[in-house]
Amino acid sequence: MSGRKLTIGLFGFGVVGEGIYNVLQQASSLQATIKKICIKHPGKKRAADPNLFTTDAEALLNDPGINLIVELIDDADDAFIIVSTALRNGKDVVSANKKMIAEHLPDLLALQAEHGTSLLYEASVCGSIPIIRNLEEYYDNDLLDSITGIVNGSTNFILTKMAEDGLAYKDALLQAQQLGFAESNPTLDVDGYDALNKLTILLAHTYGVAARPTSLLFKGISQLHPTDATYAATRGYKIKLAAQVRRMGRGQVAAQVLPQFVKPDSQLFGVRNEYNGVIIESHLADQQFLYGKGAGRYPTSSAVLSDIAALRYQYKYEYRKLHSPEKYSVTQDYYLNVYVSFNNWSEVSKWDFESIDEFHSTQERQYLAGTIHVEKLMRADWFQSPAVSLIVMPDGLVRKDAIALKSIKKISLQLGGIFE
Amino acid sequence: MSGRKLTIGLFGFGVVGEGIYNVLQQASSLQATIKKICIKHPGKKRAADPNLFTTDAEALLNDPGINLIVELIDDADDAFIIVSTALRNGKDVVSANKKMIAEHLPDLLALQAEHGTSLLYEASVCGSIPIIRNLEEYYDNDLLDSITGIVNGSTNFILTKMAEDGLAYKDALLQAQQLGFAESNPTLDVDGYDALNKLTILLAHTYGVAARPTSLLFKGISQLHPTDATYAATRGYKIKLAAQVRRMGRGQVAAQVLPQFVKPDSQLFGVRNEYNGVIIESHLADQQFLYGKGAGRYPTSSAVLSDIAALRYQYKYEYRKLHSPEKYSVTQDYYLNVYVSFNNWSEVSKWDFESIDEFHSTQERQYLAGTIHVEKLMRADWFQSPAVSLIVMPDGLVRKDAIALKSIKKISLQLGGIFE
């Protein structure tokens, strides 16, 4: 078997780092050995040769004998310093740090190009599911229509418990925390930031757009109300937090992370608990679906290992869409069919909607179903309010040219009386 | 964008060939042009420049200006002559001909190695689902446990209609033929040969075994009886034709194509109609699932196109398992938990079973559920009888060392009376 010999400098010895260490001890066919491991707290007892450990990052980054840095630490800022230094020093890098990658994508692209080094990060999106590799290698022929995924296991676990066991959001979150599927500070997950980082990475590999994560449309699940669950249940829907990239016309893509109603005929309907799943739509292949564990020790280790294996053959992402003559940019010039629930009308401006198709009011909660322009939605004060819940309807993305066909009815007469 | 320029000699101009021709006209980024198209019947009217067509295969195979042969003809024997000549002449090849590939794998491997040429055939297994590429690139780290797939769309369409619309096998087959999901001569599909060819290809890419297809354990679906459908329905199972490769111990793999009961918790349960789906189990990634269209004009074109795109970068399958120090071979030394239905006991030898756990008899049909050793099953006259139906139980593969734990009870006393 061919392939070059890899000598690894490992940053971080948490569950994934230790997993990689153990597997590399066994998987001799990979021809990869760990030369040094950089850790933060030297005092801890660790199940590996003590001579491997150091707290001196430079000892790894400046060692010419090390040709691969595997970065598995939590802190995104420290991670960026490590990764960018390594790339500059001519070392290839494997990282699982989605926050770092999403926030520094343009810099990381430039560093790879300048120094001819390769940065792989399959573990950063959907854990063990080889979504980035497939987008790079297999869906690179200009025919991609959309990609829609459940990319955050914590929120999917919570949403599954809410739907299947009738738990309120708070109780479902607590259970997720107890079982280790959510952090003690769950904000990054439940408010959508983690999914947003993954969306940003997918956007680069689907349409070659390197966007700032927080410039994109997103909302998490922490504001979901029991009324929303009832609405979903009576219609046979499930609520999922969906990350979506969709071509909306020549050179334009929609990119969003939003709660979404999913019907039973969607492959996402059956993605339960901590699992992830991604639907890829293309002109030729029609609909494809990739499914697996999105996080956790072994799934993450699996993706990191596959990246290490690929680097034996000097594999690098080509980012072909980024260098393609047809450039894409993110558009907010499209419409969404949405369900919105709230406590009273003072919280939501009805005039933001192009049309309202359904309205329901009880003492407990009010909701409407209607169509809204995305620019208007992103500017609306109420959109990010924790008292307001917004869920995209199934097939809720509407291209601008399609909306003209719909008769646009500003707040219909029958409903008028209630609103004033 | 980099990558070499491809000049293609195309064999066959059926629906896929024409699709590829059309897409290449549009997808300029692929830098691939078709120089000549070899067809059998020059008289037919075709939607392409008439100067492209020839009936002279040598004109393509001996043209030094052509560096890639795309082979899309039906006949497996002709296809092998074309493909082997092309590889010998220093040309890379893309083929979708699963029968040809499965039957000639050792030769095709040798030709590639000897002449340094590359043969890609993603379209041959599960159409648009990038299963071979993922096995090659992503699951190459010795940690694969099993792969189980619905790899034949025709039979899955028939089984779906039988389960969902209560159709008898014959009527479901007729409907599949009317809708173009089954050939007028359906033998290759319904008797399992097509799935068997795909299994053979998967076996090479999962465990590096190049086996003769017909040496493997297989049975199709044409013998299924309404009683079987009832048995499945009352237990909440579906019947699927499953191709399966599973590690059974050091250096040993089971490989089989058999009808199988599937429970709702399996991802295969939801694979309906003409779709395909593959579950990949590995130590680290746990269970992964790939789903999409397995056949037809566009899905096949999609896979062929991706192979063409990969050849710009001189991609070739590494068949790493084939060259790995740990060699695998196919074993028949394991047990299966099966359901078997038949018209009367003269058709099935009860003594072939290690144990029989359930037995049911009506005037119409009899069935049993029991455990049988695979060597015994493959030697049994009744196994391939069209009057006998055999369906593997969910999780029905049992390793030899596991069976010892089960108390082996030859035909139990209570049932004895009925048998004699």
Side-chain angles (χ1 to χ4, degrees), chain A residues 1-2 23 26-30 122-123 126-131 133-134 137-143 267 270-271 275 282-293 297-307 309-310 312-313 315 318 320 323-325, chain B residues 1-2 23 26-30 122-123 126-131 133-134 137-143 267 270-271 275 282-293 297-307 309-310 312-313 315 318 320 323-325:
Chain A
M1 190 141 96
S2 56
V23 174
Q26 297 156 29
S28 58
S29 71
L30 275 177
E122 187 61 78
C126 294
S128 62
I129 305 175
I131 178 66
R133 200 80 71 83
N134 274 288
E137 294 299 300
Y138 200 78
Y139 300 99
D140 72 335
N141 47 32
D142 300 332
L143 300 165
Q267 287 287 329
V271 178
Y275 279 83
S282 79
H283 273 33
L284 291 180
D286 202 76
Q287 218 179 70
Q288 300 216 312
F289 177 61
L290 308 178
Y291 169 91
K293 281 201 175 157
R297 172 180 198 156
Y298 294 110
T300 305
S301 300
S302 165
V304 170
L305 262 186
S306 288
D307 281 349
R312 276 180 307 164
Y313 297 89
Y315 177 74
E318 297 280 344
R320 285 177 196 142
H323 305 116
S324 137
Chain B
M1 190 142 94
S2 56
V23 174
Q26 298 155 28
S28 58
S29 72
L30 275 178
E122 187 62 78
C126 294
S128 62
I129 305 175
I131 179 66
R133 200 80 73 84
N134 275 288
E137 294 299 299
Y138 200 78
Y139 300 99
D140 73 333
N141 46 32
D142 301 331
L143 300 164
Q267 287 288 327
V271 178
Y275 279 84
S282 78
H283 272 32
L284 291 179
D286 202 77
Q287 217 177 71
Q288 300 216 313
F289 177 61
L290 308 177
Y291 169 90
K293 282 201 175 155
R297 173 179 196 153
Y298 294 112
T300 305
S301 300
S302 164
V304 170
L305 262 184
S306 289
D307 281 349
R312 278 180 305 164
Y313 298 89
Y315 176 74
E318 298 281 344
R320 283 177 196 139
H323 306 117
S324 135

Side-chain angles (χ1 to χ4, degrees), chain A residues 329-361:
Chain A
S329 60
V330 173
T331 182
Q332 269 107 35
D333 192 10
Y334 65 101
Y335 293 85
L336 280 178
N337 296 326
V338 292
Y339 157 103
V340 183
S341 81
F342 42 90
N343 294 321
N344 62 68
W345 272 108
S346 64
E347 287 166 356
V348 170
S349 166
K350 59 182 176 291
W351 302 110
D352 286 338
F353 290 83
E354 292 301 316
S355 69
I356 292 179
D357 304 317
E358 187 186 357
F359 173 67
H360 188 259
S361 174

Side-chain angles (χ1 to χ4, degrees), chain A residues 32-227:
Chain A
T33 47
I34 295 178
K35 187 172 179 186
K36 265 295 181 232
I37 304 172
C38 182
I39 38 118
K40 223 169 179 172
H41 306 290
K44 263 193 222 169
K45 203 167 158 46
R46 294 181 172 90
D49 178 358
N51 294 320
L52 283 173
F53 294 97
T54 175
T55 55
D56 178 16
E58 302 297 323
L60 282 65
L61 294 169
N62 293 329
D63 181 345
I66 287 176
N67 55 8
L68 170 61
I69 295 293
V70 176
E71 178 278 303
L72 299 169
I73 69 172
D74 282 336
D75 187 279
D77 297 329
D78 288 353
F80 179 65
I81 295 170
I82 291 164
V83 169
S84 55
T85 307
L87 292 173
R88 236 180 248 116
N89 290 1
K91 300 182 196 312
D92 294 330
V93 179
V94 174
S95 169
N97 203 314
K98 50 227 158 202
K99 185 165 187 287
M100 182 275 287
I101 294 159
E103 288 176 352
H104 296 281
L105 207 44
D107 291 340
L108 295 170
L109 289 171
L111 281 167
Q112 289 180 80
E114 191 181 340
H115 300 281
T117 40
S118 172
L119 167 64
L120 304 183
Y121 41 82
E122 187 61 78
S124 69
V125 183
C126 294
S128 62
I129 305 175
I131 178 66
I132 297 177
R133 200 80 71 83
N134 274 288
L135 288 171
E136 276 290 308
E137 294 299 300
Y138 200 78
Y139 300 99
D140 72 335
N141 47 32
D142 300 332
L143 300 165
L144 196 71
D145 290 323
S146 73
I147 167 165
T148 310
I150 293 170
V151 299
N152 180 275
S154 305
T155 49
N156 201 51
F157 184 89
I158 293 167
L159 291 169
T160 304
K161 291 297 157 196
M162 289 170 73
E164 295 184 4
D165 303 343
L167 296 186
Y169 165 75
K170 248 177 37 192
D171 300 321
L173 168 62
L174 191 67
Q175 202 180 112
Q177 287 169 325
Q178 285 165 344
L179 291 170
F181 291 125
E183 307 285 334
S184 52
N185 176 0
T187 312
L188 269 181
D189 289 322
V190 299
D191 288 337
Y193 293 99
D194 177 75
L196 185 62
N197 287 329
K198 291 164 178 170
L199 176 76
T200 307
I201 295 171
L202 291 175
L203 193 51
H205 290 275
T206 45
Y207 293 102
V209 181
R212 205 157 37 81
T214 48
S215 72
L216 303 174
L217 172 64
F218 78 103
K219 188 172 172 99
I221 65 159
S222 58
Q223 70 292 334
L224 289 179
H225 188 271
T227 303

Side-chain angles (χ1 to χ4, degrees), chain B residues 92 107 123 131 166 170 181 192 202 206 226 266-267 281 308 329 341 360 372 379 384 399 412 414:
Chain B
D92 293 330
D107 291 340
I131 179 66
K170 248 176 38 192
F181 291 125
L202 292 174
T206 46
S266 165
Q267 287 288 327
E281 288 182 310
I308 294 175
S329 60
S341 81
H360 188 260
I372 191 165
R379 275 202 307 267
Q384 287 295 358
R399 285 169 65 142
S412 73
Q414 311 95 285

Side-chain angles (χ1 to χ4, degrees), chain B residues 368-381:
Chain B
L368 66 83
T371 303
I372 191 165
H373 192 270
V374 168
E375 274 170 17
K376 223 171 241 173
L377 177 65
M378 290 181 77
R379 275 202 307 267
D381 301 333

Side-chain angles (χ1 to χ4, degrees), chain A residues 147-150 156 159 217 219-221 223-224 228 231-232 237-246 256-263 266 268-269 279 334 336-339 389-398:
Chain A
I147 167 165
T148 310
I150 293 170
N156 201 51
L159 291 169
L217 172 64
K219 188 172 172 99
I221 65 159
Q223 70 292 334
L224 289 179
D228 311 341
Y231 184 93
Y237 298 162
K238 284 189 186 169
I239 303 171
K240 298 291 182 187
L241 185 65
Q244 185 163 176
V245 179
R246 185 173 291 272
Q256 59 183 47
V257 170
L258 291 174
Q260 169 127 22
F261 290 123
V262 172
K263 290 201 276 192
S266 165
L268 297 185
F269 193 85
I279 297 168
Y334 65 101
L336 280 178
N337 296 326
V338 292
Y339 157 103
S389 176
L390 178 138
I391 305 172
V392 179
M393 288 291 181
D395 311 313
L397 276 77
V398 184

